[in-house]
Amino acid sequence: MNKSDLKRDYWMLDGRFAKKGYDWWWHNFTAVNEKTGEERSFFIEYFTCNPAMAGDGAIPVLGQLPANKEKGIRPSYLMVKCGWWGEQATQLHRFIPWKNVKIFSDAQGYHLSAGDCSACETQLTGTVNISDADAAVHPEWMCNSGSMSWDIQIDKKVAFNVGYGAGSLFRRLKAFEMYWHAQGMKSLYSGTIICNGEKYIVIPEKSFGYADKNWGADFTSPWVWLSSCDLVSKKTGQRLNDSVFDIGGGRPKVFGIALNRKLLSDFWYEGKSYEFNFSKFWTLCRTKFDCHETDNKIIWYVRQETTNAVMETNIECEKSKMLLVNYESPDGAKRHNRLWNGGTGTGTVKLYRKHAGAGNKLELLDEIQACHVGCEWGEY
């Protein structure tokens, strides 16, 4: 549901998560080349890991470094991750030691700073520059070569608050292995990006922006994510300016016990929320999903149903425009080695209303064309 909660965007690596935990803030949006008018979809992420394992904090501790893998040393750093999708999709990683990182929270939300990289609820700055030679000799960096710098402003319009599962009690108990909160599942971004020497302009109304965060002790498998606010009604032909959908999850673990394959989702459709949330058991939420690879595409099918509504989502994305995105877990293992990640997905969403007392007859509210779909799929 659309309920802002800045406390869920706070930094969460305390208690046992300080020694075995990650917390990241993720952003993706679209920008336009200043000279050519070419459109490109970008992402920026601030990924924090195991602050209590930093030692003196003077150097980032990389879990995929062979010597650290051999000794079982856990990673510890701030990783500034950025890149783009489309032709020659690229991910870039810059690792910053904890000694150079400051993070705090207040009534305005979280605040992170590390030299020329910073993030908060309303602004992002940063730069990452990886040479061909460095990328080749440092496989433990898990990234490509290239350069990107940014100065971006954010205006978060619609939130997806998943409810009590990420509420204060379950956060204190560290009950879930992976938490999720989308403070800006529909966000307007503005500013500039310099990508491999080319300047891109981010225009709010054409940014199709998204902001969320994940935190916990490890990552889910399978891993599913779909979201877009670039939506056009096939019923009326009109752009849906106050709409966004967000689907995420896989196989959550609660107190170490894995649940069946489950997804959380919300469709904020022109000012009204249609939520499909397994934790709200009274809605009798049911989910079916199938995600698979073909030779050249990743394809998602998700059908969710409650006592009030049905949402049927069909999305596809060309693998040539996606990344095999890289993360290492807080324990130092790299389990996801085929985690597809993109921002140029397309497809349709059908939204139905149920009519109680009439055999649960379905009324098609709308069939929506979705573009610029943020999308993810991986399983180990």
Side-chain angles (χ1 to χ4, degrees), residues 101-207:
V101 179
K102 295 181 180 179
I103 304 178
F104 69 93
S105 301
D106 59 21
Q108 283 72 50
Y110 78 98
H111 303 265
L112 179 152
S113 62
D116 58 358
C117 296
S118 67
C120 65
E121 291 292 343
T122 58
Q123 187 169 21
L124 310 173
T125 65
T127 181
V128 180
N129 190 353
I130 308 294
S131 69
D132 292 340
D134 280 344
V137 300
H138 289 287
E140 71 275 12
W141 292 359
M142 307 177 292
C143 72
N144 308 117
S145 62
S147 65
M148 181 169 150
S149 61
W150 57 93
D151 187 352
I152 301 293
Q153 290 74 49
I154 316 163
D155 182 6
K156 297 179 179 179
K157 294 297 188 182
V158 180
F160 179 22
N161 185 317
V162 302
Y164 68 86
S168 59
L169 174 61
F170 283 91
R171 295 201 304 267
R172 288 197 302 271
L173 292 173
K174 307 288 191 288
F176 284 86
E177 188 172 66
M178 187 173 188
Y179 291 84
W180 182 34
H181 176 63
Q183 180 65 23
M185 70 167 173
K186 178 179 174 67
S187 296
L188 302 181
Y189 287 78
S190 59
T192 57
I193 289 178
I194 307 298
C195 169
N196 285 343
E198 295 286 328
K199 187 175 182 179
Y200 287 79
I201 307 300
V202 187
I203 302 167
E205 294 74 20
K206 297 180 180 179
S207 62

Side-chain angles (χ1 to χ4, degrees), residues 26 69 73 90 94 140 152 168 205 236 283 301 304 356 375:
W26 168 274
K69 290 179 71 173
I73 295 174
T90 296
R94 176 181 173 185
E140 71 275 12
I152 301 293
S168 59
E205 294 74 20
T236 66
T283 67
Y301 170 77
Q304 295 181 281
C375 47

Side-chain angles (χ1 to χ4, degrees), residues 74-362:
R74 296 178 189 174
S76 182
Y77 47 69
L78 162 67
M79 179 177 72
V80 180
K81 182 187 192 80
C82 64
W84 52 91
W85 298 297
E87 302 302 325
Q88 297 181 323
T90 296
Q91 63 184 316
L92 305 173
H93 294 166
R94 176 181 173 185
F95 296 91
I96 299 175
W98 278 109
K99 186 176 181 179
N100 298 338
V101 179
K102 295 181 180 179
I103 304 178
F104 69 93
S105 301
D106 59 21
Q108 283 72 50
Y110 78 98
H111 303 265
L112 179 152
S113 62
D116 58 358
C117 296
S118 67
C120 65
E121 291 292 343
T122 58
Q123 187 169 21
L124 310 173
T125 65
T127 181
V128 180
N129 190 353
I130 308 294
S131 69
D132 292 340
D134 280 344
V137 300
H138 289 287
E140 71 275 12
W141 292 359
M142 307 177 292
C143 72
N144 308 117
S145 62
S147 65
M148 181 169 150
S149 61
W150 57 93
D151 187 352
I152 301 293
Q153 290 74 49
I154 316 163
D155 182 6
K156 297 179 179 179
K157 294 297 188 182
V158 180
F160 179 22
N161 185 317
V162 302
Y164 68 86
S168 59
L169 174 61
F170 283 91
R171 295 201 304 267
R172 288 197 302 271
L173 292 173
K174 307 288 191 288
F176 284 86
E177 188 172 66
M178 187 173 188
Y179 291 84
W180 182 34
H181 176 63
Q183 180 65 23
M185 70 167 173
K186 178 179 174 67
S187 296
L188 302 181
Y189 287 78
S190 59
T192 57
I193 289 178
I194 307 298
C195 169
N196 285 343
E198 295 286 328
K199 187 175 182 179
Y200 287 79
I201 307 300
V202 187
I203 302 167
E205 294 74 20
K206 297 180 180 179
S207 62
F208 309 116
Y210 175 87
D212 77 356
K213 74 173 308 213
N214 286 98
W215 71 97
D218 204 353
F219 313 128
T220 188
S221 179
W223 187 328
V224 178
W225 171 59
L226 297 166
S227 184
S228 174
C229 60
D230 181 9
L231 305 174
V232 174
S233 169
K234 297 181 78 170
K235 191 173 182 179
T236 66
Q238 298 298 308
R239 175 166 294 280
L240 302 175
N241 291 315
D242 188 21
S243 296
V244 56
F245 73 88
D246 201 4
I247 301 170
R251 196 174 187 214
K253 288 185 180 180
V254 187
F255 296 112
I257 299 172
L259 306 180
N260 290 330
R261 291 153 63 100
K262 295 182 182 296
L263 301 178
L264 299 164
S265 75
D266 186 40
F267 197 139
W268 180 258
Y269 176 76
E270 294 301 272
K272 182 176 180 179
S273 173
Y274 294 86
E275 186 178 11
F276 303 86
N277 188 333
F278 69 87
S279 71
K280 298 181 178 181
F281 58 88
W282 56 91
T283 67
L284 303 180
C285 182
R286 289 169 284 172
T287 297
K288 295 180 180 179
F289 68 90
D290 175 66
C291 308
H292 63 275
E293 291 187 44
T294 67
D295 288 342
N296 56 11
K297 292 180 181 179
I298 305 295
I299 297 173
W300 295 259
Y301 170 77
V302 181
R303 188 183 191 278
Q304 295 181 281
E305 180 176 354
T306 65
T307 55
N308 298 318
V310 174
M311 177 175 166
E312 194 170 44
T313 307
N314 287 275
I315 302 294
E316 61 182 41
C317 194
E318 295 179 31
K319 290 160 69 173
S320 64
K321 297 181 179 180
M322 301 179 74
L323 292 164
L324 287 172
V325 70
N326 290 322
Y327 296 99
E328 58 183 355
S329 296
D331 64 1
K334 189 174 184 297
R335 297 180 178 88
H336 273 291
N337 293 298
R338 202 163 180 81
L339 180 56
W340 288 98
N341 168 274
T344 60
T346 59
T348 60
V349 182
K350 292 181 179 179
L351 185 63
Y352 299 87
R353 180 190 292 123
K354 272 188 176 181
H355 290 280
N360 282 332
K361 183 179 178 181
L362 297 182

